[in-house]
Amino acid sequence: DAMVIQNPRYQVTQFGKPVTLSCSQTLNHNVMYWYQQKSSQAPKLLFHYYDKDFNNEADTPDNFQSRRPNTSFCFLDIRSPGLGDAAMYLCATSGYSQETQYFGPGTRLLVL
Amino acid sequence: GENVEQHPSTLSVQEGDSAVIKCTYSDSASNYFPWYKQELGKRPQLIIDIRSNVGEKKDQRIAVTLNKTAKHFSLHITETQPEDSAVYFCAASIVSGGGADGLTFGKGTHLIIQP
């Protein structure tokens, strides 16, 4: 089945230790998004790609970076995680001229 | 940028009654308004959406209305059931030929269905 896959589902890291979250999709969608959702809050857009065109939200901290090496994969890099970065990270995709965003299951990040 | 306000933050209704959740948005360029249901620990699930060229859309017990002039849209759930208990988010975005911008979400409504 075509889908959005996120690995790992749970990630534990240490304060200040770089961590990478991954997202892959079999939908062949050109747009990929990363959202951060903290406990009891709404998802918040960090950045998104139109193909390889990177779009960063103005208030996304520099500590968050992203890479999209090809259509299928997108990575979220947190260079120096702080305790405040503990959250669910959701990847989503959508297609050309399409509005529906398909969410992956999320990666729950815990920072010790 | 876009700002989406959502009310109420918590809504408790008796099983079988109707529930209404309201949202307003600020950016007149927004043209796509989805509603998501999220259960604890799970991903948001799209339940219904509406484009700005439509005033109302219905899917079984769920309906969404949009007032472009007033910049507000609402979710209506009729004949509520226990499985409707969840957090509901409204959102807004701009969709163009290349695809959709990221979603700006409201803060969410915790819907509680009382048996």
Side-chain angles (χ1 to χ4, degrees):
Chain A
D1 288 336
M3 59 178 62
V4 181
I5 302 161
Q6 290 189 245
N7 286 305
R9 295 293 308 279
Y10 300 89
Q11 175 74 57
V12 181
T13 191
Q14 292 179 332
F15 182 93
K17 185 175 181 181
V19 65
T20 295
L21 310 181
S22 73
C23 177
S24 64
Q25 51 125 344
T26 60
L27 299 160
N28 202 32
H29 282 169
N30 66 311
V31 192
M32 294 187 77
Y33 314 81
W34 279 105
Y35 293 87
Q36 177 194 61
Q37 187 175 24
K38 295 185 178 181
S39 182
S40 300
Q41 295 185 22
K44 181 179 181 303
L45 181 68
L46 295 173
F47 23 62
H48 68 287
Y49 284 89
Y50 277 103
D51 297 308
K52 286 191 175 290
D53 182 21
F54 178 69
N55 297 270
N56 195 30
E57 292 299 295
D59 56 355
T60 297
D62 292 340
N63 197 26
F64 291 85
Q65 304 286 320
S66 184
R67 296 170 284 135
R68 188 178 185 186
N70 54 51
T71 300
S72 300
F73 285 86
C74 195
F75 299 98
L76 170 62
D77 301 309
I78 308 176
R79 293 193 296 189
S80 181
L83 298 179
D85 296 328
M88 173 81 88
Y89 290 88
L90 293 159
C91 174
T93 73
S94 68
Y96 278 112
S97 300
Q98 294 176 8
E99 59 266 14
T100 304
Q101 292 192 20
Y102 297 83
F103 281 87
T107 294
R108 184 166 296 280
L109 178 69
L110 180 62
V111 182
L112 300 178
Chain B
E2 176 65 276
N3 181 49
V4 177
E5 299 281 342
Q6 182 172 347
H7 298 281
S9 57
T10 303
L11 179 60
S12 181
V13 301
Q14 289 293 124
E15 182 179 351
D17 288 351
S18 295
V20 180
I21 303 171
K22 298 183 178 182
C23 289
T24 60
Y25 62 99
S26 62
D27 189 349
S28 56
S30 291
N31 60 0
Y32 174 62
F33 307 94
W35 285 88
Y36 285 87
K37 175 183 180 182
Q38 189 175 33
E39 296 174 340
L40 192 62
K42 297 190 176 180
R43 77 189 84 184
Q45 284 187 303
L46 179 69
I47 56 171
I48 197 166
D49 56 9
I50 192 166
R51 291 291 296 263
S52 60
N53 57 351
V54 176
E56 184 173 357
K57 184 177 177 181
K58 189 173 181 181
D59 182 4
Q60 298 184 325
R61 297 187 297 110
I62 296 172
V64 57
T65 59
L66 170 66
N67 183 326
K68 276 179 58 179
T69 304
K71 296 202 193 99
H72 67 69
F73 56 113
S74 301
L75 176 72
H76 304 253
I77 304 174
T78 59
E79 301 172 15
T80 53
Q81 300 168 4
E83 53 266 36
D84 294 331
S85 294
V87 178
Y88 291 79
F89 292 100
C90 63
S93 126
I94 300 171
V95 180
S96 61
D101 284 355
L103 294 166
T104 300
F105 285 86
K107 290 188 175 181
T109 296
H110 186 192
L111 178 62
I112 301 164
I113 308 300
Q114 303 278 8

